[in-house]
Amino acid sequence: WVESWAPAAGVSAAGAAGGASSASGAVTAEEIAEVQDAEQHKAMGILAYIFFLIPLVAAPKSAFARYHANQGLIVFILWWVAIVMVAVLEVLIWLNGWLLANILVLEVFFSCIFHLLGPVLLIGCAALTLMGIVNAANGEKKPLPVVGTWRLIK
């Protein structure tokens, strides 16, 4: 893939690997190394969203794997927050039925809100997980929406 990418930018793969750059936008050796790192560690990037420690152990020197391990850790934490929030919502649903039993309109209103928030939290976490997996599979270091700029792993 690198061989087909570098000549399209106007530099041979050998010249790009040697650090050739010009004002015409030639590919640098650093860019080539980044692309090769992404290609070699795509699987580690994908596994980061299943369990973030796998790429840290299997490919500790890969910037691509570390980036996705960081994103995977953030998603992992969000999953736990969502699960705890769903448990809290279940308690609130129970309390709502007990405290507002005599005020039917409020009971129904809050019950609907509490029943809708749980799935929204879980679907949001699932969407972030899938977006991360797709980014890793495409070899991209693209931040996830809302939480993608957070850095927990340097």
Side-chain angles (χ1 to χ4, degrees):
W1 186 80
V2 173
E3 289 79 18
S4 64
W5 178 64
V11 175
S12 70
S21 74
S22 67
S24 66
V27 180
T28 65
E30 186 177 300
E31 291 169 334
I32 296 285
E34 191 174 311
V35 169
Q36 288 175 337
D37 181 36
E39 286 297 315
Q40 289 174 345
H41 296 104
K42 275 185 183 181
M44 291 298 112
I46 293 168
L47 288 174
Y49 296 94
I50 297 167
F51 188 57
F52 67 92
L53 285 177
I54 295 171
L56 294 176
V57 173
K61 296 189 185 210
S62 169
F64 182 80
R66 289 184 74 78
Y67 177 83
H68 285 287
N70 180 69
Q71 299 277 292
L73 173 60
I74 292 168
V75 170
F76 179 79
I77 291 169
L78 288 176
W79 270 107
W80 277 104
V81 168
I83 289 167
V84 169
M85 290 300 297
V86 167
V88 168
L89 287 171
E90 290 299 320
V91 171
L92 289 175
I93 289 168
W94 177 78
L95 284 174
N96 179 51
W98 183 65
L99 294 173
L100 298 176
N102 294 333
I103 309 170
L104 185 61
V105 173
L106 285 178
E107 180 185 2
V108 170
F109 175 75
F110 285 116
S111 180
C112 287
I113 288 176
F114 295 153
H115 277 95
L116 290 174
L117 281 178
V120 166
L121 290 170
L122 296 175
I123 289 170
C125 287
L128 287 175
T129 301
L130 288 175
M131 290 172 74
I133 289 171
V134 168
N135 288 340
N138 289 334
E140 299 173 342
K141 286 172 67 174
K142 191 173 169 185
L144 296 172
V146 182
V147 297
T149 57
W150 299 352
R151 293 282 310 217
L152 302 177
I153 299 173
K154 303 285 182 203

